[in-house]
Amino acid sequence: MTYLMTAAIIVSIISVILVLVLLFMRKRIALVIRLFNEAGKAVHAMPLIILQPLVTFLALGIALGSWLVIAILIESSGSPTMEGTSNGGITAECQFKKDSFTLFSRWWNLFMITWMTQFVLGCQHLIVAGAVSIWFFTRDKRKIEFPIALSYARLLRYHLGSIAFGSLIVAIVKMIRYILNTVQKRLGGTNVICKGLAYCCQCFIWCLEKFLIFLNRNAYIEIAIHGYGFCKSAKKAFNVIVNNALRLAAINSIGDFVLFLAKISIVVLTVFIGHELIKNKNDIHHIWVPLTLGGIFAYFVAHCFISVYEVTTKC
């Protein structure tokens, strides 16, 4: 009974806090509802935009496949050396020693896949934002013809450099974090002060990376709407973020929470349906294995497609 009373008190406190938050942010919630309504209208008017994650997934698959092939070539290169002796039953092993150029190639390959990943994701954000901006700012919706194709054309003709520059900045910051992580692991059990400084640097670089990704997304929206270059768009996006920090924080937090609930609902529904389909099959001994894999795959698919809706609401 004591545990039940404690749980009831905790749930009551959380409920009161949620009610107070809802009352305090009712205007922001109403604004988010209007944004979701407009986003729903845009997606309904351009249903093919839902297929954009498939193109992104294909491009990411090509990039990751190229990275994997190059990584295998790098790891299998080098000068062969024999280590060990054949005396006493110990067999010598042939290992490939990496020279400085090969070690540099390993880091360069990692940098390129990081850059390409950010570049592909940036292209998706700009394509979706461009199509939504064309639909939204056209008064007579009947005159709109192929907004997604037009957004692709604008990207390929005008904005590839802007996406490349924005993704390059994020890739450089990510590489700095990778290098710091490697240095931190090599420090091992050395000076506590050094480890503390390494953790502080990691935290700072992580925060900087997240902010740059957020700034890039808003800059891509400015590029899609106004057609500016990356630097001018990033400046305008930064000014918008600073001047409307509280409103953006409220809208993004509420919107992201709603979209997260949508993803979780899809995962729960997928796992439930999977459980009902395979619960009576005697040849499956560990039912949690396919259910876990199905839940992970469902979350990944839901995240890919809901990200389109997320970008639509940000426009």
Side-chain angles (χ1 to χ4, degrees):
M1 294 298 294
T2 304
Y3 296 109
L4 293 177
M5 182 64 69
T6 304
I9 293 173
I10 294 173
V11 171
S12 300
I13 293 173
I14 295 174
S15 300
V16 171
I17 293 173
L18 288 176
V19 170
L20 293 176
V21 170
L22 290 175
L23 290 175
F24 179 74
M25 302 184 66
R26 62 186 184 278
K27 293 183 179 179
R28 300 287 184 264
I29 295 174
L31 179 59
V32 172
I33 292 173
R34 290 198 295 271
L35 289 175
F36 273 92
N37 287 333
E38 291 299 321
K41 293 177 182 178
V43 174
H44 182 265
M46 302 176 293
L48 291 179
I49 202 171
I50 297 294
L51 301 179
Q52 177 57 38
L54 297 179
V55 180
T56 303
F57 182 76
L58 179 62
L60 287 176
I62 295 173
L64 289 173
S66 302
W67 169 79
L68 182 60
V69 171
I70 296 174
I72 292 174
L73 293 175
I74 291 174
E75 295 304 319
S76 60
S77 63
S79 303
T81 57
M82 302 299 293
E83 294 189 1
T85 59
S86 56
N87 297 329
I90 301 176
T91 306
E93 294 182 355
C94 178
Q95 295 187 355
F96 292 90
K97 267 190 178 177
K98 306 290 188 296
D99 54 12
S100 58
F101 176 77
T102 307
L103 295 175
F104 173 78
S105 300
R106 180 187 292 171
W107 283 101
W108 180 255
N109 191 35
L110 179 61
F111 172 73
M112 289 303 298
I113 187 59
T114 305
W115 187 6
M116 287 302 301
T117 302
Q118 294 300 317
F119 178 79
V120 172
L121 295 177
C123 288
Q124 171 174 297
H125 288 302
L126 189 62
I127 289 169
V128 175
V132 173
S133 64
I134 293 170
W135 174 85
F136 184 80
F137 291 107
T138 302
R139 290 183 178 274
D140 190 358
K141 308 300 183 187
R142 292 172 298 180
K143 295 182 180 180
I144 300 176
E145 294 183 356
F146 309 110
I148 302 175
L150 182 57
S151 182
Y152 267 97
R154 289 179 178 177
L155 168 66
L156 296 175
R157 184 173 181 181
Y158 300 110
H159 304 310
L160 283 179
S162 298
I163 301 296
F165 186 63
S167 57
L168 174 63
I169 296 173
V170 177
I172 291 174
V173 175
K174 281 182 172 289
M175 284 303 300
I176 294 174
R177 191 159 67 88
Y178 294 156
I179 294 172
L180 284 175
N181 190 30
T182 304
V183 172
Q184 182 180 347
K185 288 181 179 180
R186 290 188 178 182
L187 287 175
T190 56
N191 196 330
V192 179
I193 298 177
C194 295
K195 292 183 67 176
L197 290 175
Y199 278 116
C200 291
C201 292
Q202 283 270 51
C203 181
F204 173 76
I205 295 297
W206 182 83
C207 294
L208 178 62
E209 175 191 332
K210 297 302 178 183
F211 174 75
L212 288 175
I213 292 174
F214 179 73
L215 180 63
N216 275 6
R217 289 182 179 178
N218 288 273
Y220 297 153
I221 293 173
E222 292 287 339
I223 293 172
I225 295 174
H226 302 288
Y228 299 142
F230 176 80
C231 293
K232 187 175 182 179
S233 298
K235 181 181 178 181
K236 289 179 66 67
F238 181 78
N239 291 332
V240 170
I241 293 171
V242 171
N243 295 330
N244 303 275
L246 295 177
R247 178 179 294 181
L248 284 175
I251 292 174
N252 287 335
S253 59
I254 296 171
D256 292 343
F257 180 70
V258 173
L259 294 176
F260 176 75
L261 289 180
K263 297 175 188 177
I264 295 300
S265 300
I266 293 173
V267 172
V268 171
L269 183 62
T270 302
V271 172
F272 175 76
I273 294 175
H275 180 269
E276 293 298 317
L277 290 175
I278 64 177
K279 67 179 181 180
N280 295 324
K281 294 189 176 181
N282 298 324
D283 54 340
I284 299 177
H285 301 287
H286 302 286
I287 192 174
W288 59 270
V289 176
L291 291 180
T292 303
L293 294 176
I296 294 173
F297 182 74
Y299 182 83
F300 175 74
V301 174
H303 174 75
C304 290
F305 286 95
I306 290 179
S307 63
V308 174
Y309 202 83
E310 180 182 2
V311 175
T312 306
T313 58
K314 297 295 190 296
C315 294

